[in-house]
Amino acid sequence: MKRASTLLEGQALGLLSDEKGLTRRKVLGMLSAAVGAGLASSPRSLAQSSGGGPRIIDTHHHIFPPAFTARNLKRMTDDSPTFPGSFYTNWSPRYSLEQMDQNGVATAIGSMTSPGIWFGNNEEGRKNARDCNEYGAKLGQDYPDRFGMWGAIPLPDTDGSLREIEYIYDTLKLDGIGLLTSYDDGKLLGHPNFAPVLEELNRRKAVIFVHPTISCCAMPIRHLNRVQIDFPTDTTRTITDLIYSRSLMRFPNIRWIFSHGGGTILMLTPRLSGTGLTPEERAATIPNGFEHELQKLYYDVASVALSPIPMAAVLKGIPKEHLLFGSDIPFFTIERIAKAVNKFDVSASDLRMIQRENALQLLPRLKT
C-alpha cells in the first residue's frame, strides 16, 4: 500500500515489522539514530535534567486500550484508511516508553484519538469510555509518574457524560478530559446540546484536551488522505464556534488545549474576526477582539512543529506561555517532534516553558 511520505516514519514504528525479524527496539533504534545525537548534545535540549532524568511532558500522546481497540478496530481503520489494523493493535505501553526514554519525555498524557468512543449508541459509548478510562488509570498505576490520561466521555450522551466525569475526577483521579472537535453529524463543541456538560467541567475547573476529527466535507484529493486537510479545519471550526457561541465567556474556568497549533485558525483570523458584527454584538461576543480570545487557549505543537512556516505563525500569534509539547505518537515519532522543537528560534527559557513548564501550570501534580 502506497503511503504519504510524511506518515512513513510513524507507520514504520506503528506497524513494527516483527514478521521480518525486527524487534520494536531495533526499529526504534534505526529511526532515531539520525536525531538522537543531536538531542543529546544540544545545550538547549530538556531531554535530561541536571540529575540525569527525563524532563519533557508530552500532552498529545495516543494510547490504544486493547479491549476497546479490538471491539472498534474496523471503525478506526475506516476513519483513517491509511493505517491498517496492526498499526493500532501493535501499540503497547512499552512501545511508548521506549520512545519516551530515548527522547527525554518524563510523562505522557494519554488520550483517545478520532473516531473517539461514542458512535451513536449511548450504552456502547458509556462502556467504551469506562474501559478506556480504567485502562488509562491502570497505566498510571503500573508506571508511576510516566503516564497520565485525558479521560474520555460520550459527549452527546449528557447523562452518561456527567456520570463519567464524576468517576474520572472523584475515583480515577485522571488529569482532565479529552474531547473531539465535533460529534453527532458535525455538532461543534459550542453546540447548546453540550452546554450542561461544559457547565459541570467549568465547575470542576477542568483541563480539556481537544483532538480533531472529521465532521463534514472530506473530499478526496489525490495523494492525500482525508485527515490531512479536514483535521486542522475541524479544529478551526470548533474554536470559532466556542468563541461565537460565547462558550469561552460562559465557562471561563475551563482551560482548553487544542491540537496541532490550532489547525488553520491563525491563518484565517482576518476572515473570522467578526467584521460583520454590529457594535452591540461585538461588545457581547468578542469585546476584546477575536485574537484576544485565541490567546486565552493552549495549543500543542504536534505536527505543526515540523515546518518553520506555520510554526512562525504560532510563535508570533500565541503567547509562549500557552504552547505545549505534543508528539502525536504513534502517528509521528517522538524523535521527530522533539528534534524539531529543539530547533525553535526561541530563548532557552521559552523552550523550557514549551517542553515542560507550561504543562506544569495545567498539571500541578507533576511538580512533585
Side-chain angles (χ1 to χ4, degrees), residues 50-363:
S50 59
R55 302 292 292 166
I56 296 171
I57 298 173
D58 184 359
T59 62
H60 185 156
H61 191 109
H62 296 306
I63 65 172
F64 300 99
F68 166 83
T69 300
R71 287 198 308 273
N72 295 285
L73 188 59
K74 185 178 186 304
R75 286 164 166 156
M76 297 164 80
T77 55
D78 286 350
D79 185 70
S80 187
T82 303
F83 299 98
S86 59
F87 178 84
Y88 304 99
T89 58
N90 282 353
W91 178 85
S92 70
R94 179 52 52 189
Y95 164 81
S96 286
L97 285 165
E98 286 176 339
Q99 286 201 49
M100 292 162 63
D101 290 343
Q102 289 182 18
N103 294 279
V105 173
T107 307
I109 311 301
S111 60
M112 308 309 298
T113 189
S114 181
I117 55 92
W118 186 87
F119 305 107
N121 180 288
N122 286 349
E123 288 305 316
E124 179 189 33
R126 294 176 188 188
K127 177 176 175 53
N128 286 338
R130 184 61 55 94
D131 285 356
C132 292
N133 293 332
E134 290 185 339
Y135 181 88
K138 183 67 161 52
L139 199 59
Q141 294 169 4
D142 290 345
Y143 304 95
D145 302 321
R146 301 307 307 275
F147 287 102
M149 178 73 176
W150 304 122
I153 61 173
L155 184 59
D157 171 13
T158 299
D159 290 340
S161 292
L162 293 174
R163 284 200 288 271
E164 195 64 20
I165 288 168
E166 181 179 15
Y167 189 63
I168 284 168
Y169 280 99
D170 298 343
T171 300
L172 298 181
K173 311 293 185 183
L174 300 183
D175 293 295
I177 302 296
L179 298 178
L180 297 180
T181 47
S182 58
Y183 293 82
D184 195 18
D185 298 323
K187 292 182 178 66
L188 300 165
L189 295 182
H191 194 280
N193 287 7
F194 305 148
V197 175
L198 294 186
E199 183 175 359
E200 173 61 11
L201 293 174
N202 184 69
R203 185 184 73 81
R204 289 183 177 266
K205 298 179 172 61
V207 179
I208 301 180
F209 170 79
V210 182
H211 192 277
T213 189
I214 295 171
S215 63
C216 72
C217 318
M219 307 300 288
I221 298 175
R222 190 180 181 188
H223 305 306
L224 294 180
N225 66 59
R226 60 184 187 162
V227 308
Q228 288 170 283
I229 290 178
D230 287 273
F231 267 23
T233 301
D234 215 49
T235 297
T236 298
R237 289 190 188 102
T238 211
I239 293 173
T240 305
D241 184 52
L242 285 168
I243 292 172
Y244 283 113
S245 67
R246 302 186 67 216
S247 297
L248 295 188
M249 296 180 69
R250 292 170 58 202
F251 309 117
N253 295 325
I254 295 175
R255 275 107 16 110
W256 299 89
I257 303 170
F258 289 92
S259 302
H260 313 127
T264 60
I265 193 77
L266 292 174
M267 185 62 69
L268 296 179
T269 296
R271 292 176 174 267
L272 303 175
S273 58
T275 54
L277 296 179
T278 66
E280 294 76 17
E281 289 170 332
R282 178 176 291 276
T285 307
I286 48 172
N288 298 305
F290 188 83
E291 291 185 17
H292 176 81
E293 298 303 311
L294 295 183
Q295 293 176 355
K296 295 178 180 178
L297 311 174
Y298 289 81
Y299 305 84
D300 73 49
V301 298
S303 78
V304 72
L306 298 176
S307 173
I309 297 174
M311 198 61 225
V314 172
L315 291 171
K316 182 71 173 179
I318 303 302
K320 293 182 181 65
E321 294 81 1
H322 281 215
L323 298 180
L324 304 166
F325 183 93
S327 69
D328 208 350
I329 186 177
F331 300 96
F332 291 90
T333 63
I334 297 179
E335 295 97 327
R336 196 173 176 203
I337 301 298
K339 180 181 178 182
V341 169
N342 204 52
K343 290 182 176 180
F344 286 173
D345 186 18
V346 298
S347 69
S349 61
D350 286 342
L351 186 65
R352 286 194 297 272
M353 286 196 299
I354 295 168
Q355 291 179 314
R356 179 176 176 82
E357 292 173 11
N358 294 339
L360 290 179
Q361 301 307 309
L362 300 175
L363 303 168

